[in-house]
Amino acid sequence: MKTLFHTLLLLPFAVMVFQAYSVSALPIVQRISQSQAQGLSGNGTTVTVWLGNGTNIDFTRTGETIQRAWLDDAHAIALEFDAALGERGNASIVHLKRVTGIHFPNLPETRSTLLTVITRSPYGKKTYLFDVRYGSGTPKYATLAVIPDIQPLAGKEETANWNAVERGLQRALAQQLISAQSPLNQRVQTFLTNVRNGMPIQQAAEQAKVSLAVVSKLAKMGTHSISRPASLMPSR
């Protein structure tokens, strides 16, 4: 009987610990690709804002700055930014938080709304669209991170991002398949710089004067553990 009494006393505490662990185990950051956030692929992007907890939309990984942003229905959501907007601004994070008591004449109040964000990079403007929902209960994430697309290379079935290309280049240099002083190494380095700055892979390769065949092979080397490829890199 005494053992049962102690068990009953400890049960609520155990439930609280389990709930706290479950909440902490939830991902704080969720990732979404640029193309999906622009509505160019997938089913679009939904961002949820919970009561008492703001939600960030983070563009820092894209190398873009936010020029403008607006909500179609602003009665329940307020927007803040980490820096100034506009041509001279360098904002890259949007913070959304729930508000109450705001009403606009002649503007209907809806259960969700559209957030439009215009960004700029050295390679032009982009438009991002987010379906903003009002959440209740425990937040599922705190930040929605927009990340550069993982793009197909040279028509291959495999896909890779610039991290894989960079790893492949390091392996090619270590195996002396490419000389550190060679023009090819400099071209690939230029390609990597272009992609890090937000330039699409095809355009980055054309500007760096390196073929997508080379980029694709380097990406494959950076993705798979191989000791040495069967053939050397193409000359470009």
Side-chain angles (χ1 to χ4, degrees):
M1 185 71 180
K2 186 175 181 181
T3 303
L4 177 62
F5 177 74
H6 283 295
T7 302
L8 291 175
L9 281 178
L10 292 173
L11 183 59
F13 176 75
V15 172
M16 290 175 62
V17 170
F18 174 77
Q19 289 178 338
Y21 173 79
S22 299
V23 171
S24 64
L26 291 171
I28 296 177
V29 178
Q30 286 195 359
R31 297 186 175 190
I32 188 166
S33 69
Q34 286 178 297
S35 59
Q36 187 173 351
Q38 293 177 83
L40 301 176
S41 66
N43 298 320
T45 303
T46 298
V47 56
T48 303
V49 185
W50 288 268
L51 287 170
N53 293 271
T55 301
N56 303 306
I57 303 177
D58 184 359
F59 291 90
T60 56
R61 295 165 178 81
T62 68
E64 301 165 7
T65 57
I66 301 169
Q67 301 298 295
R68 293 189 64 186
W70 59 86
L71 285 165
D72 289 347
D73 178 9
H75 87 278
I77 298 290
L79 298 181
E80 294 180 339
F81 303 89
D82 63 323
L85 302 180
E87 298 294 333
R88 297 184 179 180
N90 60 351
S92 58
I93 298 174
V94 187
H95 180 73
L96 296 82
K97 60 183 178 182
R98 293 283 296 274
V99 295
T100 59
I102 298 178
H103 305 283
F104 297 93
N106 304 318
L107 183 65
E109 297 180 359
T110 58
R111 295 182 179 180
S112 64
T113 187
L114 178 68
L115 168 65
T116 303
V117 179
I118 308 297
T119 67
R120 178 184 290 276
S121 75
Y123 312 106
K125 290 184 177 182
K126 290 181 180 177
T127 302
Y128 294 90
L129 305 172
F130 301 93
D131 181 16
V132 180
R133 305 289 180 87
Y134 313 132
S136 59
T138 302
K140 296 181 179 179
Y141 55 87
T143 297
L144 190 66
V146 182
I147 61 174
D149 288 317
I150 298 177
Q151 303 181 36
L153 301 176
K156 303 293 183 181
E157 292 182 356
E158 293 199 31
T159 59
N161 57 23
W162 62 263
N163 290 300
V165 177
E166 187 170 39
R167 288 193 299 269
L169 177 62
Q170 295 305 316
R171 287 183 179 178
L173 291 170
Q175 296 173 11
Q176 298 183 344
L177 298 172
I178 297 177
S179 169
Q181 287 74 39
S182 70
L184 178 58
N185 179 41
Q186 298 304 316
R187 291 173 186 171
V188 175
Q189 296 288 359
T190 301
F191 164 81
L192 290 169
T193 299
N194 290 343
V195 175
R196 288 191 194 99
N197 290 332
M199 185 181 292
I201 284 179
Q202 175 108 21
Q203 183 180 349
E206 291 175 357
Q207 188 177 92
K209 297 181 179 180
V210 58
S211 72
L212 284 178
V214 170
V215 175
S216 182
K217 188 168 287 188
L218 288 172
K220 187 174 182 179
M221 290 181 65
T223 303
H224 303 289
S225 297
I226 56 177
S227 58
R228 190 176 184 88
S231 60
L232 295 176
M233 296 290 170
S235 58
R236 284 188 65 191

PDB file of all heavy atoms in Angstrom, residues 86-108:
ATOM      1  N   GLY A  86      14.225  48.307 -47.473  1.00  0.00           N
ATOM      2  CA  GLY A  86      14.494  49.223 -48.579  1.00  0.00           C
ATOM      3  C   GLY A  86      15.847  48.994 -49.224  1.00  0.00           C
ATOM      4  O   GLY A  86      16.596  48.077 -48.882  1.00  0.00           O
ATOM      5  N   GLU A  87      16.148  49.876 -50.177  1.00  0.00           N
ATOM      6  CA  GLU A  87      17.371  49.736 -50.971  1.00  0.00           C
ATOM      7  C   GLU A  87      18.638  49.794 -50.114  1.00  0.00           C
ATOM      8  O   GLU A  87      19.620  49.128 -50.398  1.00  0.00           O
ATOM      9  CB  GLU A  87      17.415  50.837 -52.040  1.00  0.00           C
ATOM     10  CG  GLU A  87      16.280  50.779 -53.047  1.00  0.00           C
ATOM     11  CD  GLU A  87      16.340  49.543 -53.909  1.00  0.00           C
ATOM     12  OE1 GLU A  87      17.461  49.013 -54.112  1.00  0.00           O
ATOM     13  OE2 GLU A  87      15.288  49.081 -54.386  1.00  0.00           O
ATOM     14  N   ARG A  88      18.619  50.620 -49.075  1.00  0.00           N
ATOM     15  CA  ARG A  88      19.803  50.766 -48.231  1.00  0.00           C
ATOM     16  C   ARG A  88      19.738  49.916 -46.977  1.00  0.00           C
ATOM     17  O   ARG A  88      20.677  49.912 -46.181  1.00  0.00           O
ATOM     18  CB  ARG A  88      19.981  52.229 -47.851  1.00  0.00           C
ATOM     19  CG  ARG A  88      20.222  53.148 -49.044  1.00  0.00           C
ATOM     20  CD  ARG A  88      20.482  54.575 -48.603  1.00  0.00           C
ATOM     21  NE  ARG A  88      20.746  55.449 -49.746  1.00  0.00           N
ATOM     22  CZ  ARG A  88      20.997  56.743 -49.641  1.00  0.00           C
ATOM     23  NH1 ARG A  88      21.028  57.329 -48.437  1.00  0.00           N
ATOM     24  NH2 ARG A  88      21.232  57.478 -50.721  1.00  0.00           N
ATOM     25  N   GLY A  89      18.641  49.213 -46.778  1.00  0.00           N
ATOM     26  CA  GLY A  89      18.503  48.372 -45.595  1.00  0.00           C
ATOM     27  C   GLY A  89      19.168  47.020 -45.776  1.00  0.00           C
ATOM     28  O   GLY A  89      19.537  46.628 -46.879  1.00  0.00           O
ATOM     29  N   ASN A  90      19.302  46.287 -44.676  1.00  0.00           N
ATOM     30  CA  ASN A  90      19.910  44.961 -44.747  1.00  0.00           C
ATOM     31  C   ASN A  90      19.144  43.951 -43.898  1.00  0.00           C
ATOM     32  O   ASN A  90      19.729  43.042 -43.321  1.00  0.00           O
ATOM     33  CB  ASN A  90      21.378  45.011 -44.324  1.00  0.00           C
ATOM     34  CG  ASN A  90      21.555  45.518 -42.909  1.00  0.00           C
ATOM     35  OD1 ASN A  90      20.610  45.991 -42.286  1.00  0.00           O
ATOM     36  ND2 ASN A  90      22.759  45.414 -42.387  1.00  0.00           N
ATOM     37  N   ALA A  91      17.829  44.124 -43.833  1.00  0.00           N
ATOM     38  CA  ALA A  91      17.001  43.183 -43.076  1.00  0.00           C
ATOM     39  C   ALA A  91      17.006  41.821 -43.759  1.00  0.00           C
ATOM     40  O   ALA A  91      16.949  41.716 -44.982  1.00  0.00           O
ATOM     41  CB  ALA A  91      15.573  43.711 -42.964  1.00  0.00           C
ATOM     42  N   SER A  92      17.052  40.766 -42.950  1.00  0.00           N
ATOM     43  CA  SER A  92      17.008  39.414 -43.495  1.00  0.00           C
ATOM     44  C   SER A  92      16.112  38.486 -42.679  1.00  0.00           C
ATOM     45  O   SER A  92      15.982  37.312 -43.017  1.00  0.00           O
ATOM     46  CB  SER A  92      18.422  38.820 -43.571  1.00  0.00           C
ATOM     47  OG  SER A  92      19.031  38.809 -42.287  1.00  0.00           O
ATOM     48  N   ILE A  93      15.501  39.003 -41.619  1.00  0.00           N
ATOM     49  CA  ILE A  93      14.615  38.191 -40.778  1.00  0.00           C
ATOM     50  C   ILE A  93      13.306  38.944 -40.548  1.00  0.00           C
ATOM     51  O   ILE A  93      13.313  40.122 -40.186  1.00  0.00           O
ATOM     52  CB  ILE A  93      15.264  37.865 -39.419  1.00  0.00           C
ATOM     53  CG1 ILE A  93      16.545  37.048 -39.619  1.00  0.00           C
ATOM     54  CG2 ILE A  93      14.287  37.085 -38.533  1.00  0.00           C
ATOM     55  CD1 ILE A  93      17.319  36.800 -38.334  1.00  0.00           C
ATOM     56  N   VAL A  94      12.190  38.256 -40.779  1.00  0.00           N
ATOM     57  CA  VAL A  94      10.862  38.780 -40.465  1.00  0.00           C
ATOM     58  C   VAL A  94      10.387  38.100 -39.188  1.00  0.00           C
ATOM     59  O   VAL A  94      10.450  36.874 -39.086  1.00  0.00           O
ATOM     60  CB  VAL A  94       9.846  38.491 -41.587  1.00  0.00           C
ATOM     61  CG1 VAL A  94       8.531  39.207 -41.305  1.00  0.00           C
ATOM     62  CG2 VAL A  94      10.393  38.882 -42.936  1.00  0.00           C
ATOM     63  N   HIS A  95       9.901  38.890 -38.239  1.00  0.00           N
ATOM     64  CA  HIS A  95       9.339  38.339 -37.011  1.00  0.00           C
ATOM     65  C   HIS A  95       7.839  38.605 -36.995  1.00  0.00           C
ATOM     66  O   HIS A  95       7.405  39.751 -37.117  1.00  0.00           O
ATOM     67  CB  HIS A  95       9.998  38.967 -35.782  1.00  0.00           C
ATOM     68  CG  HIS A  95       9.467  38.434 -34.482  1.00  0.00           C
ATOM     69  ND1 HIS A  95       9.771  37.175 -34.017  1.00  0.00           N
ATOM     70  CD2 HIS A  95       8.636  38.990 -33.554  1.00  0.00           C
ATOM     71  CE1 HIS A  95       9.169  36.977 -32.864  1.00  0.00           C
ATOM     72  NE2 HIS A  95       8.466  38.064 -32.563  1.00  0.00           N
ATOM     73  N   LEU A  96       7.043  37.542 -36.867  1.00  0.00           N
ATOM     74  CA  LEU A  96       5.594  37.657 -36.817  1.00  0.00           C
ATOM     75  C   LEU A  96       5.113  37.344 -35.406  1.00  0.00           C
ATOM     76  O   LEU A  96       5.574  36.382 -34.780  1.00  0.00           O
ATOM     77  CB  LEU A  96       4.920  36.677 -37.790  1.00  0.00           C
ATOM     78  CG  LEU A  96       5.158  36.856 -39.277  1.00  0.00           C
ATOM     79  CD1 LEU A  96       6.482  36.219 -39.706  1.00  0.00           C
ATOM     80  CD2 LEU A  96       4.029  36.239 -40.079  1.00  0.00           C
ATOM     81  N   LYS A  97       4.197  38.154 -34.886  1.00  0.00           N
ATOM     82  CA  LYS A  97       3.634  37.871 -33.569  1.00  0.00           C
ATOM     83  C   LYS A  97       2.144  38.177 -33.561  1.00  0.00           C
ATOM     84  O   LYS A  97       1.661  39.046 -34.290  1.00  0.00           O
ATOM     85  CB  LYS A  97       4.349  38.674 -32.476  1.00  0.00           C
ATOM     86  CG  LYS A  97       4.286  40.180 -32.611  1.00  0.00           C
ATOM     87  CD  LYS A  97       5.101  40.839 -31.509  1.00  0.00           C
ATOM     88  CE  LYS A  97       5.103  42.359 -31.630  1.00  0.00           C
ATOM     89  NZ  LYS A  97       5.931  42.992 -30.576  1.00  0.00           N
ATOM     90  N   ARG A  98       1.427  37.442 -32.723  1.00  0.00           N
ATOM     91  CA  ARG A  98      -0.015  37.589 -32.627  1.00  0.00           C
ATOM     92  C   ARG A  98      -0.367  38.840 -31.844  1.00  0.00           C
ATOM     93  O   ARG A  98       0.268  39.169 -30.837  1.00  0.00           O
ATOM     94  CB  ARG A  98      -0.608  36.363 -31.934  1.00  0.00           C
ATOM     95  CG  ARG A  98      -0.489  35.074 -32.729  1.00  0.00           C
ATOM     96  CD  ARG A  98      -1.501  34.983 -33.844  1.00  0.00           C
ATOM     97  NE  ARG A  98      -2.856  34.943 -33.350  1.00  0.00           N
ATOM     98  CZ  ARG A  98      -3.490  33.835 -32.979  1.00  0.00           C
ATOM     99  NH1 ARG A  98      -2.858  32.666 -33.051  1.00  0.00           N
ATOM    100  NH2 ARG A  98      -4.735  33.868 -32.554  1.00  0.00           N
ATOM    101  N   VAL A  99      -1.389  39.528 -32.291  1.00  0.00           N
ATOM    102  CA  VAL A  99      -1.909  40.715 -31.605  1.00  0.00           C
ATOM    103  C   VAL A  99      -3.429  40.620 -31.578  1.00  0.00           C
ATOM    104  O   VAL A  99      -4.039  39.878 -32.353  1.00  0.00           O
ATOM    105  CB  VAL A  99      -1.465  42.025 -32.299  1.00  0.00           C
ATOM    106  CG1 VAL A  99       0.042  42.207 -32.215  1.00  0.00           C
ATOM    107  CG2 VAL A  99      -1.928  42.047 -33.750  1.00  0.00           C
ATOM    108  N   THR A 100      -4.041  41.388 -30.683  1.00  0.00           N
ATOM    109  CA  THR A 100      -5.499  41.451 -30.594  1.00  0.00           C
ATOM    110  C   THR A 100      -5.934  42.902 -30.489  1.00  0.00           C
ATOM    111  O   THR A 100      -5.140  43.786 -30.167  1.00  0.00           O
ATOM    112  CB  THR A 100      -6.018  40.673 -29.371  1.00  0.00           C
ATOM    113  OG1 THR A 100      -5.430  41.235 -28.173  1.00  0.00           O
ATOM    114  CG2 THR A 100      -5.656  39.199 -29.454  1.00  0.00           C
ATOM    115  N   GLY A 101      -7.212  43.134 -30.742  1.00  0.00           N
ATOM    116  CA  GLY A 101      -7.784  44.466 -30.558  1.00  0.00           C
ATOM    117  C   GLY A 101      -7.553  45.424 -31.705  1.00  0.00           C
ATOM    118  O   GLY A 101      -7.839  46.613 -31.582  1.00  0.00           O
ATOM    119  N   ILE A 102      -7.026  44.946 -32.837  1.00  0.00           N
ATOM    120  CA  ILE A 102      -6.795  45.814 -33.996  1.00  0.00           C
ATOM    121  C   ILE A 102      -7.882  45.515 -35.043  1.00  0.00           C
ATOM    122  O   ILE A 102      -8.078  44.363 -35.443  1.00  0.00           O
ATOM    123  CB  ILE A 102      -5.405  45.581 -34.604  1.00  0.00           C
ATOM    124  CG1 ILE A 102      -4.316  45.928 -33.579  1.00  0.00           C
ATOM    125  CG2 ILE A 102      -5.226  46.417 -35.865  1.00  0.00           C
ATOM    126  CD1 ILE A 102      -2.912  45.674 -34.076  1.00  0.00           C
ATOM    127  N   HIS A 103      -8.562  46.550 -35.474  1.00  0.00           N
ATOM    128  CA  HIS A 103      -9.624  46.401 -36.469  1.00  0.00           C
ATOM    129  C   HIS A 103      -9.489  47.511 -37.504  1.00  0.00           C
ATOM    130  O   HIS A 103      -9.272  48.682 -37.157  1.00  0.00           O
ATOM    131  CB  HIS A 103     -11.002  46.463 -35.798  1.00  0.00           C
ATOM    132  CG  HIS A 103     -11.175  45.467 -34.696  1.00  0.00           C
ATOM    133  ND1 HIS A 103     -11.421  44.135 -34.909  1.00  0.00           N
ATOM    134  CD2 HIS A 103     -11.102  45.629 -33.337  1.00  0.00           C
ATOM    135  CE1 HIS A 103     -11.507  43.498 -33.749  1.00  0.00           C
ATOM    136  NE2 HIS A 103     -11.322  44.385 -32.777  1.00  0.00           N
ATOM    137  N   PHE A 104      -9.615  47.142 -38.771  1.00  0.00           N
ATOM    138  CA  PHE A 104      -9.495  48.090 -39.864  1.00  0.00           C
ATOM    139  C   PHE A 104     -10.856  48.263 -40.539  1.00  0.00           C
ATOM    140  O   PHE A 104     -11.482  47.268 -40.925  1.00  0.00           O
ATOM    141  CB  PHE A 104      -8.461  47.607 -40.897  1.00  0.00           C
ATOM    142  CG  PHE A 104      -7.072  47.490 -40.344  1.00  0.00           C
ATOM    143  CD1 PHE A 104      -6.619  46.275 -39.827  1.00  0.00           C
ATOM    144  CD2 PHE A 104      -6.217  48.576 -40.326  1.00  0.00           C
ATOM    145  CE1 PHE A 104      -5.342  46.158 -39.308  1.00  0.00           C
ATOM    146  CE2 PHE A 104      -4.933  48.463 -39.813  1.00  0.00           C
ATOM    147  CZ  PHE A 104      -4.500  47.253 -39.302  1.00  0.00           C
ATOM    148  N   PRO A 105     -11.310  49.495 -40.689  1.00  0.00           N
ATOM    149  CA  PRO A 105     -12.593  49.728 -41.353  1.00  0.00           C
ATOM    150  C   PRO A 105     -12.586  49.175 -42.781  1.00  0.00           C
ATOM    151  O   PRO A 105     -11.597  49.326 -43.506  1.00  0.00           O
ATOM    152  CB  PRO A 105     -12.725  51.256 -41.355  1.00  0.00           C
ATOM    153  CG  PRO A 105     -11.816  51.723 -40.270  1.00  0.00           C
ATOM    154  CD  PRO A 105     -10.688  50.744 -40.232  1.00  0.00           C
ATOM    155  N   ASN A 106     -13.673  48.521 -43.154  1.00  0.00           N
ATOM    156  CA  ASN A 106     -13.883  48.018 -44.517  1.00  0.00           C
ATOM    157  C   ASN A 106     -12.918  46.904 -44.917  1.00  0.00           C
ATOM    158  O   ASN A 106     -12.835  46.561 -46.098  1.00  0.00           O
ATOM    159  CB  ASN A 106     -13.779  49.155 -45.544  1.00  0.00           C
ATOM    160  CG  ASN A 106     -14.744  50.285 -45.252  1.00  0.00           C
ATOM    161  OD1 ASN A 106     -15.904  50.047 -44.890  1.00  0.00           O
ATOM    162  ND2 ASN A 106     -14.279  51.518 -45.373  1.00  0.00           N
ATOM    163  N   LEU A 107     -12.184  46.351 -43.944  1.00  0.00           N
ATOM    164  CA  LEU A 107     -11.271  45.242 -44.244  1.00  0.00           C
ATOM    165  C   LEU A 107     -11.756  43.995 -43.516  1.00  0.00           C
ATOM    166  O   LEU A 107     -11.800  43.971 -42.288  1.00  0.00           O
ATOM    167  CB  LEU A 107      -9.843  45.582 -43.808  1.00  0.00           C
ATOM    168  CG  LEU A 107      -8.777  44.524 -44.126  1.00  0.00           C
ATOM    169  CD1 LEU A 107      -8.610  44.360 -45.633  1.00  0.00           C
ATOM    170  CD2 LEU A 107      -7.437  44.893 -43.493  1.00  0.00           C
ATOM    171  N   PRO A 108     -12.160  42.961 -44.242  1.00  0.00           N
ATOM    172  CA  PRO A 108     -12.661  41.754 -43.577  1.00  0.00           C
ATOM    173  C   PRO A 108     -11.562  41.053 -42.786  1.00  0.00           C
ATOM    174  O   PRO A 108     -10.400  41.055 -43.177  1.00  0.00           O
ATOM    175  CB  PRO A 108     -13.153  40.889 -44.741  1.00  0.00           C
ATOM    176  CG  PRO A 108     -12.382  41.373 -45.928  1.00  0.00           C
ATOM    177  CD  PRO A 108     -12.157  42.831 -45.718  1.00  0.00           C
TER     178      PRO A 108
END
